[in-house]
């Protein structure tokens, strides 16, 4: 192998890359929280008796699950751009991952909702609780407990998905920063290796944090 | 042709060519990933902890690093080791290992779901380890994990869109090439999405159907 590794420039630009990692986390957390809220609405809409509502939710879920995430980001970035809605790579990425997260999580939540016994809902309603309080106090806590592992996976998943921003020209997230540095220095392997390590650390921290959170929230 | 646009049949054929590249890369990497995944999965399920854990940890790395970064790293080996491999080979190997990382855990869970008593019974009937694995464990495990395996394969199909980064003209990249000529991104991207959807949705439905049917028994 006639290749000389040069790690020093990479170490020198580590602060920049860490800053990029914080942007990555920011995007992932945003997309995940909005995506979870949307997914709950989608799962409810899918179960609703209003045909049009459940049809629309079904289309969202199936498109999100049956096309590539990169395609969804492209569609938002280039497609909406051509309609005259100018959109930055950053927001295109956030919207794209949110759309994707919502679709995948809605399918998970649909299973989670059926895990909550129907009798509990009837009991809550007969005690005089309204539909929304029943959902909020009875159904959602149990549903989220059942689907918590899937939520954790999806969070890791959205951290990894943020790397797609570089393809539509985002330069502020970890992959974007790495790509910028790579274009300037041509130390492709070194820069992307360090960025791979940072992604690994981020997803491990996320998993460990989720495990601690689950232990804190769900123990009896 | 479509809505007075300058989109022609040739463009559609070009998109379909891209779709064929997508399918070819998917098949190659799923094949590689499944073979490796079955091997690694058997090791993960059966071997001693000091073999099984390091293997699990190593494969976990591929699940915790974005595929895009993995592709770039694999691609940089090309110049580092003077390999002169084509991007297609790199894409298939990279996606194949990525698939193997997921497939290993699937196979492991499938093998562990086969009751140990069944396996011991097969062995006590005089089957060798290999005979037992081939004719008892793998058939039963296949039944358990096949729906998830379909999901995994479809996931890989969608992930092949990332190989445009290393210069392969697959479905998504070919849609961009046409867009730069026809200047109607929304129409072309929608057609592209439809092609992806038609490739993925029927198989996803089949997987869900099998999952339901095989669950009852």
């Amino acid at each position: 192998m006639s290749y000389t590794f040069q790690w020093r420039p990479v170490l020198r630009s580590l602060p920049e890359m860490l800053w990029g990692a914080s942007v990555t986390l920011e995007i992932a957390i945003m997309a995940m929280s909005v995506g979870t809220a949307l997914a709950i609405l989608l799962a409810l809409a899918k179960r609703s008796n209003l045909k049009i509502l459940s049809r629309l939710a079904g289309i969202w879920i199936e498109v999100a699950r049956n096309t590539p995430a990169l395609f969804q980001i492209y569609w938002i970035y280039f497609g909406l751009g051509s309609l005259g809605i100018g959109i930055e790579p950053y927001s295109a990425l956030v919207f794209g991952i949110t759309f994707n997260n919502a679709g995948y999580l809605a399918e998970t939540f649909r299973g989670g909702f059926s895990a909550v016994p129907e009798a509990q809902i009837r009991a809550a309603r007969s005690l005089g609780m309204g539909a929304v309080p029943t959902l909020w106090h009875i159904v959602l806590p149990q549903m989220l407990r059942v689907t918590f592992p899937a939520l954790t996976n999806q969070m890791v998943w959205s951290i990894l998905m943020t790397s797609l921003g570089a393809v539509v020209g985002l330069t502020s997230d970890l992959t974007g920063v790495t790509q910028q540095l790579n274009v300037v220095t041509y130390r492709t392997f070194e820069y992307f290796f360090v960025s791979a390590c940072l992604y690994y650390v981020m997803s491990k921290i996320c998993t460990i944090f989720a495990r601690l959170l689950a232990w804190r929230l769900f123990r009896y | 042709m479509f809505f007075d646009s300058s989109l022609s049949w040739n463009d559609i054929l070009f998109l379909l060519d891209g779709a064929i590249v997508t399918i070819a890369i998917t098949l190659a990497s799923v094949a590689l990933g499944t073979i490796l995944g079955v091997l690694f999965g058997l090791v993960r399920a059966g071997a001693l902890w000091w073999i099984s854990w390091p293997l699990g940890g190593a494969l976990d790395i591929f699940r915790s690093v974005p595929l895009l970064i993995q592709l770039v790293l694999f691609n940089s080996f090309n110049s580092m080791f003077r390999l002169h491999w084509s991007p297609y080979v790199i894409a298939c190997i990279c996606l194949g290992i990525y698939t193997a990382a997921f497939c290993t855990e699937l196979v492991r869970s499938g093998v562990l779901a086969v009751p140990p008593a069944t396996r011991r019974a097969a062995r006590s009937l005089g089957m060798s380890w290999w005979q037992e694995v081939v004719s008892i464990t793998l058939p039963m495990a296949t039944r358990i994990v096949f729906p998830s395996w379909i999901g995994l394969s479809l996931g890989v199909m969608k992930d092949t869109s990332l190989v445009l980064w290393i210069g392969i003209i697959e479905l998504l990249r070919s849609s961009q090439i046409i867009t730069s000529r026809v200047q109607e991104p929304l129409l072309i991207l929608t057609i592209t999405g439809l092609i992806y959807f038609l490739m993925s949705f029927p198989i996803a439905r089949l997987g869900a159907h099998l999952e339901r049917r095989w669950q009852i028994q």
Side-chain angles (χ1 to χ4, degrees):
Chain A
M1 192 173 83
S2 55
Y3 187 88
T4 327
F5 289 107
Q6 306 236 350
W7 294 102
R8 261 167 229 283
V10 187
L11 290 180
R12 208 172 300 136
S13 44
L14 199 60
E16 265 176 85
M17 294 177 79
L18 285 173
W19 189 249
S22 77
V23 176
T24 286
L25 278 181
E26 172 191 284
I27 295 173
I29 290 170
M30 256 196 304
M32 191 62 192
S33 30
V34 180
T36 307
L38 279 173
I40 292 172
L41 294 180
L42 277 178
L44 289 174
K46 188 79 209 275
R47 289 159 62 93
S48 92
N49 292 326
L50 265 177
K51 207 127 206 193
I52 208 171
L53 214 57
S54 84
R55 189 69 58 79
L56 281 177
I59 290 175
W60 182 326
I61 294 170
E62 295 306 340
V63 169
R65 287 164 53 86
N66 286 299
T67 58
L70 184 57
F71 162 80
Q72 291 155 20
I73 295 164
Y74 264 38
W75 201 91
I76 291 169
Y77 185 62
F78 294 112
L80 291 187
S82 76
L83 287 180
I85 308 166
I87 196 166
E88 288 162 44
Y90 183 87
S91 358
L93 182 66
V94 173
F95 289 144
I97 301 178
T98 307
F99 178 82
N100 192 278
N101 276 343
Y104 274 90
L105 286 176
E107 194 65 14
T108 313
F109 288 165
R110 231 153 52 91
F113 275 130
S114 1
V116 180
E118 197 78 25
Q120 287 192 18
I121 299 168
R122 279 200 298 270
R125 295 306 296 273
S126 70
L127 284 173
M129 282 173 101
V132 175
T134 306
L135 183 71
W136 188 253
H137 294 291
I138 310 289
V139 182
L140 279 187
Q142 299 189 64
M143 190 274 284
L144 288 175
R145 177 179 304 200
V146 174
T147 54
F148 193 78
L151 271 169
T152 312
N153 274 343
Q154 192 67 33
M155 181 61 203
V156 172
W157 211 230
S158 46
I159 291 176
L160 303 188
M161 254 195 286
T162 55
S163 66
L164 302 182
V167 184
V168 288
L170 183 67
T171 51
S172 55
D173 80 315
L174 180 51
T175 309
V177 168
T178 314
Q179 174 63 8
Q180 289 297 97
L181 293 165
N182 170 38
V183 171
V184 177
T185 59
Y186 280 101
R187 311 307 308 181
T188 309
F189 181 81
E190 289 91 329
Y191 276 112
F192 277 94
F193 183 79
V194 171
S195 126
C197 294
L198 289 178
Y199 272 112
Y200 183 77
V201 169
M202 276 195 284
S203 36
K204 282 300 121 185
I205 288 177
C206 175
T207 316
I208 292 167
F209 179 73
R211 217 164 271 169
L212 290 176
L213 195 68
W215 179 77
R216 181 77 189 75
L217 285 177
F218 301 144
R219 70 189 160 157
Y220 291 99
Chain B
M1 190 193 98
F2 287 98
F3 317 115
D4 295 334
S5 83
S6 53
L7 191 69
S8 68
W9 264 120
N10 279 335
D11 294 332
I12 302 288
L13 289 180
F14 190 68
L15 276 182
L16 291 178
D17 275 347
I20 288 170
V21 173
T22 292
I23 292 172
I25 294 176
T26 307
L27 289 179
S29 19
V30 167
L32 177 65
T34 307
I35 293 168
L36 286 178
V38 170
L39 285 178
F40 291 159
L42 285 172
V43 172
R44 285 279 284 137
L48 295 169
W49 67 268
W50 54 270
I51 305 175
S52 166
W53 286 8
L55 181 66
L59 290 173
D60 185 52
I61 293 172
F62 292 95
R63 278 177 279 133
S64 310
V65 171
L67 184 59
L68 194 66
I69 306 266
Q70 293 182 37
L71 275 170
V72 173
L73 283 176
F74 263 87
N75 202 31
S76 71
F77 287 153
N78 221 3
S79 49
M80 279 169 63
F81 300 104
R82 306 253 161 90
L83 292 173
H84 303 295
W85 287 353
S86 86
Y88 293 95
V89 176
I90 290 171
C92 289
I93 293 177
C94 188
L95 271 164
I97 295 174
Y98 181 75
T99 315
F102 287 93
C103 194
T104 300
E105 292 311 303
L106 274 185
V107 172
R108 174 171 176 263
S109 68
V111 168
L112 290 181
V114 176
T118 312
R119 303 190 64 179
R120 278 198 291 266
R123 290 303 295 277
S124 69
L125 283 173
M127 284 181 165
S128 68
W129 180 86
W130 184 247
Q131 282 173 327
E132 182 269 317
V133 164
V134 169
S135 41
I136 307 291
T137 304
L138 283 184
M140 287 179 82
T142 307
R143 222 181 151 80
I144 298 164
V145 299
F146 189 69
S148 315
W149 180 83
I150 287 185
L152 172 64
S153 307
L154 289 177
V156 174
M157 200 268 280
K158 284 171 266 170
D159 286 336
T160 54
S161 58
L162 300 187
V163 302
L164 62 83
W165 190 253
I166 59 171
I168 296 176
I169 301 176
E170 40 66 73
L171 182 50
L172 197 57
R173 182 81 188 96
S174 52
S175 81
Q176 266 198 315
I177 292 172
I178 295 172
T179 306
S180 63
R181 189 180 73 74
V182 183
Q183 295 298 330
E184 271 177 279
L186 204 57
L187 173 67
I188 293 160
L189 276 173
T190 306
I191 295 173
T192 309
L194 211 61
I195 298 176
Y196 272 119
F197 193 84
L198 289 178
M199 292 199 292
S200 165
F201 186 66
I203 304 176
R205 267 295 162 86
L206 176 74
H209 173 74
L210 287 180
E211 192 165 21
R212 250 176 319 195
R213 232 184 76 181
W214 289 356
Q215 218 167 33
I216 303 165
Q217 291 145 2

